[in-house]
Amino acid sequence: MLLNETADQIRSMKIRGAGRIARTAAAALRDYAETFEGSDLGSFRHGMDEAACTLLATRPTAVSLPNAVRFVMKAMDGTGTVPEAQSAITKAADSFLLSSKHAVEWIGEIGARHISDGDVVLTHCNSEAALACILTAHRQGKNLEVFATEVRPRNQGLLTIRTLNDAGVKTNYIVDSAVRSFINDVDLVITGADAVTVNGAVVNKIGTSQIALAAHEARTTMLVAAETYKFAPRSILGERIEIEERQTDEVLDPAVAATLPHVRVRNPAFDVTPARYVDEIVTEMGAIPPTMAYIIIRDHLGWGIEEFHKDFEFNERMQE
Ligand SMILES: O=C(COP(=O)(O)O)[C@H](O)[C@H](O)COP(=O)(O)O
């Protein structure tokens, strides 16, 4: 697929979910690099910067996207020829794809240990990482029941219930506003994440923070399943995660909206759950308290403060 087509598919949400978006972007950069013909390293780098920019502009919230793009682009550092740079990019992209796949598998294993036989689990949206925990526990023979929300307005819950149904997991499908009515029947909430900030706040599908509040009030455990490449390095510098606000026609038919001149339709796609409402974040490095986010960013992702200078140079180059 051409890079612009890939970008369109991410923008229109044909490809969605933070992990998939990141893997798709890494593969798109690799494929784009391989199509370059010529020997001028400057032109190659310029083309790669443009491709990175195109991908980064698709959706603003999932931090897995800039983290994946940076990981792949950084591989060009120190290369002296186009073939060298191409091969470094291919290697980095392939290594990201493999480690991302393994991360989800590990999260499944670790998350499944938090699920006991007979548990009722509630999940929101359609998260590979959250589903990995549920499906691993199911494969281990634990008897589970799941509540899955509808996820207005894009109904990602449909994807979730199909997957759960295909695996033979007993599932209840509920509208988003029914969460509080059922929360006392639930032992554990597991969601995914689009971003985790340095203070342990979790950015995920709109409605997650309401579910976390309901879980907190009911003393129901709230787990977040997230690969470490969803942790947001730039939040160390106080940079906020942009919450994507999508087109209003996803919420209300434009013909109806046209009859309501005093009504403004709002459609934020994500919200922020403060760390105090999250019991643990299940990463491929283990389950951690959300307050350990800084350690993940600094020690595991390797983002010391000096890295921001390099990152700044990269951003400057991309804006040229
Ligand atoms: O909020 C969403 C998807 O939102 P959208 O449908 O708007 O992309 C998912 O919970 C996270 O991205 C985690 O998913 P995963 O665990 O698969 O990375």
Side-chain angles (χ1 to χ4, degrees), residues 13 16-19 59 125 127-129 156 193-194 204-205 230:
M13 291 177 61
R16 48 146 300 281
R59 293 191 75 190
C125 198
S127 155
E128 271 184 333
Q156 288 93 329
D194 279 76
N204 192 48
K205 180 53 56 196
K230 292 173 181 167

Side-chain angles (χ1 to χ4, degrees), residues 1-17 20-21 24-25 50-61 65 154 156 205 244-247 249-250 267 269-270:
M1 202 186 320
L2 293 173
L3 187 110
N4 284 335
E5 284 172 28
T6 305
D8 279 347
Q9 296 221 338
I10 297 175
R11 202 174 295 112
S12 64
M13 291 177 61
K14 284 195 186 76
I15 296 168
R16 48 146 300 281
R20 276 193 203 89
I21 290 173
T24 304
E50 278 188 352
C53 266
T54 303
L55 292 166
L56 290 172
T58 52
R59 293 191 75 190
T61 303
L65 173 60
R154 297 289 300 234
Q156 288 93 329
K205 180 53 56 196
E244 176 181 12
E245 183 141 3
R246 296 189 60 84
Q247 310 87 276
D249 62 1
E250 289 183 349
N267 187 18
F270 300 96

Side-chain angles (χ1 to χ4, degrees), residues 103 106-107 110 226-228 281-288 292 296 299-300:
W106 261 110
I107 288 171
I110 298 166
E227 303 89 307
T228 50
I281 303 179
V282 181
T283 76
E284 73 277 19
M285 306 288 295
I288 59 163
M292 260 182 69
I296 294 286
D299 293 353
H300 179 63

Side-chain angles (χ1 to χ4, degrees), residues 110 114 196-202 221-226 228 231 273-297:
I110 298 166
H114 289 76
V196 179
T197 60
V198 68
N199 62 356
V202 170
T221 303
M222 170 89 191
L223 290 186
V224 171
T228 50
F231 285 62
T273 302
R276 64 182 176 280
Y277 298 119
V278 177
D279 289 286
E280 279 175 42
I281 303 179
V282 181
T283 76
E284 73 277 19
M285 306 288 295
I288 59 163
T291 43
M292 260 182 69
Y294 176 67
I295 308 290
I296 294 286
I297 294 169

